[in-house]
């Protein structure tokens, strides 16, 4: 009898595999999405942040290499200040093992984390330490072909009691946006 010690649980082991990434990349290319910031999606993210009261909101189109926020809202003044006086800067890209959107894509359903510290699987995620993220609310953008195009999500630096109202709201926002994305012309009607 032999014994193989367990492998260490590194970040990549905790990030789910994304088998749809090649198909998603092709579909996003056809729609003209996922390669550059989109002002209409930035505006959507801003409205989403205002609607939820969260400091961060994103429209994320992940691919094989990482995550790309075609729509992004970050506050003018960062809600987290490091001990050295600097603030983390949230940009348009993140590696696949950062954040919670890859889990939403793999699960194909919404994810509510009222306090990531309550979930050992998520508490060690790099965004918790690097950006101070404590709560997350995200939903998949599933198009008419059944493909997950990406996610809409919000995040906060403090615990948030999103509850059923938050879950319902993020799913409704995702459903509304995906209809617009399928006929994408660079504009949103609202």
């Amino acid at each position: 009898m032999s014994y193989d010690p367990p492998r260490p649980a590194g970040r990549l082991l905790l990030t789910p595999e994304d088998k749809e990434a090649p198909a998603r990349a092709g579909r996003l290319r056809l729609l003209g999405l996922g390669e550059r910031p989109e002002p209409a999606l930035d505006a959507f993210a801003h409205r989403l942040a205002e609607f939820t009261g969260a400091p961060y909101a994103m429209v994320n189109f992940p691919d094989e290499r990482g995550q790309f926020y075609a729509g992004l809202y970050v506050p003018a003044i960062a809600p987290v200040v490091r001990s050295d006086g600097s603030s983390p800067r949230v940009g348009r890209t993140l590696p696949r093992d950062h954040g919670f959107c890859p889990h939403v894509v793999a699960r194909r359903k919404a994810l509510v984390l009222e306090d990531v510290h309550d979930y050992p699987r998520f508490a060690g995620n790099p965004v918790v330490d690097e950006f101070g993220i404590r709560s997350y609310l995200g939903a998949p953008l599933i198009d008419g072909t059944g493909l997950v195009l990406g996610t809409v999500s919000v995040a906060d630096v403090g615990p948030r009691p999103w509850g059923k109202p938050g879950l319902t709201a993020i799913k409704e926002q995702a459903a509304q946006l995906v209809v617009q994305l399928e006929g994408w012309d660079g504009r949103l009607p609202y």
Side-chain angles (χ1 to χ4, degrees):
M1 183 167 142
S2 68
Y3 171 73
D4 290 324
R7 295 185 304 166
R11 288 183 184 150
L12 292 177
L13 296 178
L14 297 177
T15 303
E17 186 178 357
D18 186 359
K19 295 179 181 176
E20 289 186 340
R24 177 181 319 102
R27 178 79 167 118
L28 290 169
R29 268 193 303 280
L30 286 174
L31 293 170
L33 290 166
E35 296 180 354
R36 64 187 170 281
E38 298 289 347
L41 295 179
D42 284 344
F44 176 87
H46 188 191
R47 286 190 300 275
L48 189 59
E50 287 179 337
F51 178 68
T52 62
Y56 299 106
M58 293 77 60
V59 177
N60 184 4
F61 297 127
D63 63 18
E64 303 97 333
R65 298 175 312 272
Q67 303 177 73
F68 176 70
Y69 300 114
L72 179 64
Y73 176 78
V74 297
I77 299 173
V80 173
V81 178
R82 296 180 183 128
S83 60
D84 67 0
S86 68
S87 295
R89 186 173 161 273
V90 176
R92 294 269 179 190
T93 61
L94 278 179
R96 270 190 75 319
D97 67 336
H98 283 54
F100 311 111
C101 291
H103 297 272
V104 172
V105 169
R107 292 163 37 109
R108 303 177 60 85
K109 61 183 185 177
L111 178 62
V112 178
L113 299 171
E114 294 183 339
D115 186 343
V116 298
H117 290 175
D118 291 341
Y119 303 90
R121 179 177 188 173
F122 299 116
N125 193 285
V127 299
V128 176
D129 293 329
E130 292 176 30
F131 302 108
I133 300 302
R134 283 288 300 271
S135 59
Y136 171 89
L137 181 63
L141 295 165
I142 302 175
D143 74 1
T145 70
L147 187 66
V148 178
L149 298 176
T151 63
V152 295
S153 63
V154 295
D156 204 337
V157 296
R160 291 285 298 268
W162 302 112
K164 186 138 176 92
L167 175 64
T168 300
I170 200 73
K171 288 166 67 175
E172 287 174 354
Q173 293 296 313
Q176 291 171 14
L177 181 58
V178 80
V179 169
Q180 302 305 317
L181 294 177
E182 289 188 294
W184 184 251
D185 64 0
R187 297 175 298 179
L188 294 176
Y190 44 85

